[in-house]
Amino acid sequence: ALDYLEAKVTSTHDMKFRERIIQIRGQSAVFKRYLLPQKEVIKKLQTVEQKWITDWARRHFQENYDNITRMIEESQEACERSQILHDELSNALSEKLNRSMYKLSIITSIFMPLTYVTGIFGMNIGGVPGINDPQAFNVCMFTMLMIFLLQVFFFKRGKWF
């Protein structure tokens, strides 16, 4: 299951796999929690000097101890691999969020000066420049267009987009 998830996550960065990764991490943690006490018990049984523990039993204990150790190592590897997959998804989500925030920042920086100009000329007070000039609207629109084009020029020159 982890091999399949690794292939899918690294190729698609799809967030739908997140729940399955969390499920695998939980399962491997529970698996490890139940195996660790068994490993300790078998280790103690190997060192106990009793009549009923024969050489065959000691070899059997050693074999079981080795198997449990291997299973614990595999469950730890599964935890680590699922953590790497989880980090990969988190990084992809952060990168996506950063790109969105970057786009919003550029849009904001383009429209902020234009909003300021329209706010100034939208006030209902006396003394606003061009209030009696019929060409004032055209001059204001031309000025805002020039501000917009200058911003786009500087953004392209700075390789911001």
PDB file of all heavy atoms in Angstrom, residues 6-20:
ATOM      1  N   GLU A   6       3.255   5.993  -2.505  1.00  0.00           N
ATOM      2  CA  GLU A   6       4.455   6.764  -2.870  1.00  0.00           C
ATOM      3  C   GLU A   6       4.434   7.124  -4.351  1.00  0.00           C
ATOM      4  O   GLU A   6       4.742   8.259  -4.721  1.00  0.00           O
ATOM      5  CB  GLU A   6       5.720   5.978  -2.543  1.00  0.00           C
ATOM      6  CG  GLU A   6       6.108   6.026  -1.094  1.00  0.00           C
ATOM      7  CD  GLU A   6       7.348   5.200  -0.788  1.00  0.00           C
ATOM      8  OE1 GLU A   6       7.711   4.324  -1.605  1.00  0.00           O
ATOM      9  OE2 GLU A   6       7.942   5.438   0.263  1.00  0.00           O
ATOM     10  N   ALA A   7       4.068   6.170  -5.179  1.00  0.00           N
ATOM     11  CA  ALA A   7       4.028   6.439  -6.618  1.00  0.00           C
ATOM     12  C   ALA A   7       2.980   7.492  -6.948  1.00  0.00           C
ATOM     13  O   ALA A   7       3.227   8.406  -7.745  1.00  0.00           O
ATOM     14  CB  ALA A   7       3.740   5.145  -7.377  1.00  0.00           C
ATOM     15  N   LYS A   8       1.816   7.394  -6.329  1.00  0.00           N
ATOM     16  CA  LYS A   8       0.735   8.332  -6.619  1.00  0.00           C
ATOM     17  C   LYS A   8       1.030   9.724  -6.064  1.00  0.00           C
ATOM     18  O   LYS A   8       0.795  10.727  -6.739  1.00  0.00           O
ATOM     19  CB  LYS A   8      -0.592   7.821  -6.037  1.00  0.00           C
ATOM     20  CG  LYS A   8      -1.159   6.666  -6.789  1.00  0.00           C
ATOM     21  CD  LYS A   8      -1.520   7.063  -8.196  1.00  0.00           C
ATOM     22  CE  LYS A   8      -2.202   5.947  -8.920  1.00  0.00           C
ATOM     23  NZ  LYS A   8      -2.530   6.277 -10.289  1.00  0.00           N
ATOM     24  N   VAL A   9       1.524   9.798  -4.847  1.00  0.00           N
ATOM     25  CA  VAL A   9       1.767  11.098  -4.216  1.00  0.00           C
ATOM     26  C   VAL A   9       2.882  11.850  -4.926  1.00  0.00           C
ATOM     27  O   VAL A   9       2.783  13.052  -5.178  1.00  0.00           O
ATOM     28  CB  VAL A   9       2.076  10.931  -2.709  1.00  0.00           C
ATOM     29  CG1 VAL A   9       2.640  12.198  -2.107  1.00  0.00           C
ATOM     30  CG2 VAL A   9       0.814  10.524  -1.967  1.00  0.00           C
ATOM     31  N   THR A  10       3.956  11.163  -5.263  1.00  0.00           N
ATOM     32  CA  THR A  10       5.066  11.852  -5.912  1.00  0.00           C
ATOM     33  C   THR A  10       4.714  12.305  -7.323  1.00  0.00           C
ATOM     34  O   THR A  10       5.280  13.275  -7.816  1.00  0.00           O
ATOM     35  CB  THR A  10       6.326  10.963  -5.963  1.00  0.00           C
ATOM     36  OG1 THR A  10       6.007   9.721  -6.575  1.00  0.00           O
ATOM     37  CG2 THR A  10       6.878  10.736  -4.575  1.00  0.00           C
ATOM     38  N   SER A  11       3.763  11.627  -7.965  1.00  0.00           N
ATOM     39  CA  SER A  11       3.411  12.027  -9.330  1.00  0.00           C
ATOM     40  C   SER A  11       2.272  13.041  -9.372  1.00  0.00           C
ATOM     41  O   SER A  11       2.255  13.909 -10.239  1.00  0.00           O
ATOM     42  CB  SER A  11       3.056  10.803 -10.171  1.00  0.00           C
ATOM     43  OG  SER A  11       1.908  10.170  -9.659  1.00  0.00           O
ATOM     44  N   THR A  12       1.314  12.946  -8.433  1.00  0.00           N
ATOM     45  CA  THR A  12       0.128  13.808  -8.529  1.00  0.00           C
ATOM     46  C   THR A  12       0.036  14.863  -7.427  1.00  0.00           C
ATOM     47  O   THR A  12      -0.585  15.889  -7.632  1.00  0.00           O
ATOM     48  CB  THR A  12      -1.157  12.969  -8.474  1.00  0.00           C
ATOM     49  OG1 THR A  12      -1.244  12.313  -7.214  1.00  0.00           O
ATOM     50  CG2 THR A  12      -1.205  11.966  -9.600  1.00  0.00           C
ATOM     51  N   HIS A  13       0.589  14.597  -6.271  1.00  0.00           N
ATOM     52  CA  HIS A  13       0.451  15.488  -5.098  1.00  0.00           C
ATOM     53  C   HIS A  13      -1.026  15.718  -4.766  1.00  0.00           C
ATOM     54  O   HIS A  13      -1.426  16.801  -4.370  1.00  0.00           O
ATOM     55  CB  HIS A  13       1.155  16.820  -5.326  1.00  0.00           C
ATOM     56  CG  HIS A  13       2.637  16.710  -5.352  1.00  0.00           C
ATOM     57  ND1 HIS A  13       3.304  15.986  -6.288  1.00  0.00           N
ATOM     58  CD2 HIS A  13       3.582  17.234  -4.552  1.00  0.00           C
ATOM     59  CE1 HIS A  13       4.588  16.067  -6.095  1.00  0.00           C
ATOM     60  NE2 HIS A  13       4.799  16.811  -5.037  1.00  0.00           N
ATOM     61  N   ASP A  14      -1.825  14.683  -4.932  1.00  0.00           N
ATOM     62  CA  ASP A  14      -3.257  14.774  -4.679  1.00  0.00           C
ATOM     63  C   ASP A  14      -3.524  14.619  -3.178  1.00  0.00           C
ATOM     64  O   ASP A  14      -3.019  13.693  -2.537  1.00  0.00           O
ATOM     65  CB  ASP A  14      -3.990  13.690  -5.471  1.00  0.00           C
ATOM     66  CG  ASP A  14      -5.473  13.938  -5.546  1.00  0.00           C
ATOM     67  OD1 ASP A  14      -5.967  14.866  -4.893  1.00  0.00           O
ATOM     68  OD2 ASP A  14      -6.146  13.183  -6.282  1.00  0.00           O
ATOM     69  N   MET A  15      -4.332  15.494  -2.637  1.00  0.00           N
ATOM     70  CA  MET A  15      -4.609  15.496  -1.203  1.00  0.00           C
ATOM     71  C   MET A  15      -5.558  14.376  -0.776  1.00  0.00           C
ATOM     72  O   MET A  15      -5.721  14.133   0.412  1.00  0.00           O
ATOM     73  CB  MET A  15      -5.211  16.841  -0.778  1.00  0.00           C
ATOM     74  CG  MET A  15      -4.269  17.995  -0.894  1.00  0.00           C
ATOM     75  SD  MET A  15      -2.847  17.779   0.179  1.00  0.00           S
ATOM     76  CE  MET A  15      -1.622  18.653  -0.737  1.00  0.00           C
ATOM     77  N   LYS A  16      -6.165  13.681  -1.731  1.00  0.00           N
ATOM     78  CA  LYS A  16      -7.096  12.613  -1.366  1.00  0.00           C
ATOM     79  C   LYS A  16      -6.383  11.425  -0.720  1.00  0.00           C
ATOM     80  O   LYS A  16      -7.006  10.618  -0.061  1.00  0.00           O
ATOM     81  CB  LYS A  16      -7.904  12.154  -2.578  1.00  0.00           C
ATOM     82  CG  LYS A  16      -7.111  11.392  -3.610  1.00  0.00           C
ATOM     83  CD  LYS A  16      -7.977  10.962  -4.768  1.00  0.00           C
ATOM     84  CE  LYS A  16      -7.153  10.201  -5.784  1.00  0.00           C
ATOM     85  NZ  LYS A  16      -7.937   9.814  -6.942  1.00  0.00           N
ATOM     86  N   PHE A  17      -5.062  11.327  -0.901  1.00  0.00           N
ATOM     87  CA  PHE A  17      -4.301  10.223  -0.319  1.00  0.00           C
ATOM     88  C   PHE A  17      -3.913  10.493   1.140  1.00  0.00           C
ATOM     89  O   PHE A  17      -3.359   9.622   1.800  1.00  0.00           O
ATOM     90  CB  PHE A  17      -3.035   9.957  -1.132  1.00  0.00           C
ATOM     91  CG  PHE A  17      -3.321   9.560  -2.545  1.00  0.00           C
ATOM     92  CD1 PHE A  17      -2.942  10.383  -3.593  1.00  0.00           C
ATOM     93  CD2 PHE A  17      -3.975   8.382  -2.835  1.00  0.00           C
ATOM     94  CE1 PHE A  17      -3.200  10.035  -4.895  1.00  0.00           C
ATOM     95  CE2 PHE A  17      -4.239   8.024  -4.140  1.00  0.00           C
ATOM     96  CZ  PHE A  17      -3.858   8.853  -5.171  1.00  0.00           C
ATOM     97  N   ARG A  18      -4.184  11.664   1.619  1.00  0.00           N
ATOM     98  CA  ARG A  18      -3.765  12.056   2.969  1.00  0.00           C
ATOM     99  C   ARG A  18      -4.381  11.160   4.042  1.00  0.00           C
ATOM    100  O   ARG A  18      -3.702  10.741   4.977  1.00  0.00           O
ATOM    101  CB  ARG A  18      -4.142  13.517   3.194  1.00  0.00           C
ATOM    102  CG  ARG A  18      -3.519  14.130   4.368  1.00  0.00           C
ATOM    103  CD  ARG A  18      -3.825  15.597   4.401  1.00  0.00           C
ATOM    104  NE  ARG A  18      -2.915  16.230   5.320  1.00  0.00           N
ATOM    105  CZ  ARG A  18      -2.785  17.504   5.441  1.00  0.00           C
ATOM    106  NH1 ARG A  18      -3.491  18.303   4.695  1.00  0.00           N
ATOM    107  NH2 ARG A  18      -1.956  18.016   6.304  1.00  0.00           N
ATOM    108  N   GLU A  19      -5.666  10.870   3.909  1.00  0.00           N
ATOM    109  CA  GLU A  19      -6.347  10.031   4.901  1.00  0.00           C
ATOM    110  C   GLU A  19      -5.768   8.621   4.939  1.00  0.00           C
ATOM    111  O   GLU A  19      -5.592   8.043   6.004  1.00  0.00           O
ATOM    112  CB  GLU A  19      -7.852   9.977   4.612  1.00  0.00           C
ATOM    113  CG  GLU A  19      -8.581  11.265   4.889  1.00  0.00           C
ATOM    114  CD  GLU A  19      -8.530  11.656   6.349  1.00  0.00           C
ATOM    115  OE1 GLU A  19      -8.653  10.771   7.224  1.00  0.00           O
ATOM    116  OE2 GLU A  19      -8.352  12.859   6.627  1.00  0.00           O
ATOM    117  N   ARG A  20      -5.474   8.079   3.781  1.00  0.00           N
ATOM    118  CA  ARG A  20      -4.905   6.719   3.721  1.00  0.00           C
ATOM    119  C   ARG A  20      -3.517   6.687   4.347  1.00  0.00           C
ATOM    120  O   ARG A  20      -3.164   5.727   5.031  1.00  0.00           O
ATOM    121  CB  ARG A  20      -4.856   6.254   2.261  1.00  0.00           C
ATOM    122  CG  ARG A  20      -4.347   4.857   2.087  1.00  0.00           C
ATOM    123  CD  ARG A  20      -5.289   3.820   2.672  1.00  0.00           C
ATOM    124  NE  ARG A  20      -4.724   2.504   2.487  1.00  0.00           N
ATOM    125  CZ  ARG A  20      -4.604   1.604   3.455  1.00  0.00           C
ATOM    126  NH1 ARG A  20      -5.051   1.861   4.660  1.00  0.00           N
ATOM    127  NH2 ARG A  20      -4.050   0.446   3.219  1.00  0.00           N
TER     128      ARG A  20
END
